[in-house]
Amino acid sequence: SQKIEQNSEALNIQEGKTATLTCNYTNYSPAYLQWYRQDPGRGPVFLLLIRENEKEKRKERLKVTFDTTLKQSLFHITASQPADSATYLCALMNSGYSTLTFGKGTMLLVSP
Amino acid sequence: DAGVIQSPRHEVTEMGQEVTLRCKPISGHDYLFWYRQTMMRGLELLIYFNNNVPIDDSGMPEDRFSAKMPNASFSTLKIQPSEPRDSAVYFCASSFRTAPYGYTFGSGTRLTVV
């Protein structure tokens, strides 16, 4: 069966460190992989998209890698700040489809 | 743009009652999605529309759920009759073309059925 797995345990890091979140998937052939941020009581907010033929994408302090052989994406936040504390969701779109399937997300807590 | 607007923000209703959730997508977006989020199952796609036409409703859990999009600026998700297991946060999202452009989500409707 198809699965998108993100670490269910919260990730606790200190301000200034790099946060790395993992998204693993099985039985998908994703054309696109996206990362979203969700704050309590709010809807997810789109952050970054990476295509299947791209290895890495950067946006300001954010970096996403995509390894279709390992079936894994890593999401990095460098120089993390308490304001980065949120739940981060990865989402996949299979080739030939029009919709995103989301992982359950990983909560990131950045302490001062 | 005010973003995707959902109403109400919170809804508490008794089992058996009809519930209607509303969504106004971003102007110009041609795709609209309804998702449901729970702790156990995460975000689940219920139904999506393209140019106001329902394309895939295979995620709608039962016949008690129905969705409409009478025009490009309005969609409803109706549950009739509601049951306690329908309690969740319901999100509406819209996008231009498909996911390569990212989805814009509303703030959601927290539904509690007692």
Side-chain angles (χ1 to χ4, degrees):
Chain A
S1 62
Q2 294 180 323
K3 283 185 184 178
I4 301 173
E5 293 178 328
Q6 296 185 256
N7 198 336
S8 58
E9 287 186 18
L11 176 64
N12 286 274
I13 63 168
Q14 271 198 312
E15 183 175 9
K17 302 291 186 184
T18 296
T20 299
L21 305 176
T22 305
C23 176
N24 294 299
Y25 59 90
T26 54
N27 294 323
Y28 277 97
S29 298
Y32 306 96
L33 187 146
Q34 300 185 7
W35 284 87
Y36 288 75
R37 169 184 172 139
Q38 187 173 21
D39 291 286
R42 311 293 294 178
V45 174
F46 171 70
L47 296 175
L48 276 171
L49 173 151
I50 188 165
R51 292 175 168 77
E52 60 179 332
N53 59 351
E54 297 176 317
K55 297 291 185 187
E56 183 179 298
K57 193 70 98 46
R58 292 175 185 260
K59 179 182 175 183
E60 298 172 353
R61 295 185 296 112
L62 308 180
K63 184 178 87 170
V64 172
T65 63
F66 193 10
D67 189 325
T68 55
T69 301
L70 288 179
K71 298 187 185 299
Q72 181 181 79
S73 174
L74 299 179
F75 177 79
H76 307 273
I77 305 176
T78 58
S80 59
Q81 305 165 0
D84 296 326
S85 298
T87 295
Y88 292 86
L89 306 164
C90 75
L92 305 181
M93 175 187 284
N94 264 348
S95 301
Y97 288 83
S98 301
T99 59
L100 286 174
T101 303
F102 285 82
K104 291 184 181 179
T106 298
M107 183 181 294
L108 172 66
L109 299 170
V110 182
S111 53
Chain B
D1 199 324
V4 175
I5 300 172
Q6 290 188 246
S7 64
R9 285 282 280 137
H10 303 274
E11 176 81 39
V12 180
T13 190
E14 291 187 345
M15 183 173 64
Q17 296 298 305
E18 177 179 295
V19 175
T20 299
L21 311 181
R22 297 172 175 80
C23 174
K24 177 179 167 53
I26 289 177
S27 176
H29 280 189
D30 53 354
Y31 281 82
L32 183 138
F33 308 87
W34 282 100
Y35 280 85
R36 177 171 70 175
Q37 187 175 40
T38 60
M39 288 292 292
M40 285 290 292
R41 302 173 69 90
L43 269 169
E44 300 174 284
L45 178 66
L46 300 177
I47 185 171
Y48 79 98
F49 296 82
N50 177 219
N51 292 321
N52 313 339
V53 176
I55 303 301
D56 184 354
D57 66 355
S58 60
M60 298 283 260
E62 301 170 30
D63 291 345
R64 298 184 296 107
F65 286 68
S66 62
K68 293 182 180 179
M69 192 166 185
N71 56 61
S73 58
F74 185 64
S75 177
T76 60
L77 177 69
K78 187 176 292 187
I79 308 173
Q80 165 64 17
S82 57
E83 296 182 3
R85 59 194 166 122
D86 302 330
S87 297
V89 182
Y90 291 80
F91 287 104
C92 173
S94 68
S95 75
F96 177 60
R97 295 184 193 170
T98 52
Y101 299 88
Y103 290 4
T104 303
F105 281 82
S107 294
T109 295
R110 179 172 294 278
L111 173 65
T112 303
V113 183
V114 297

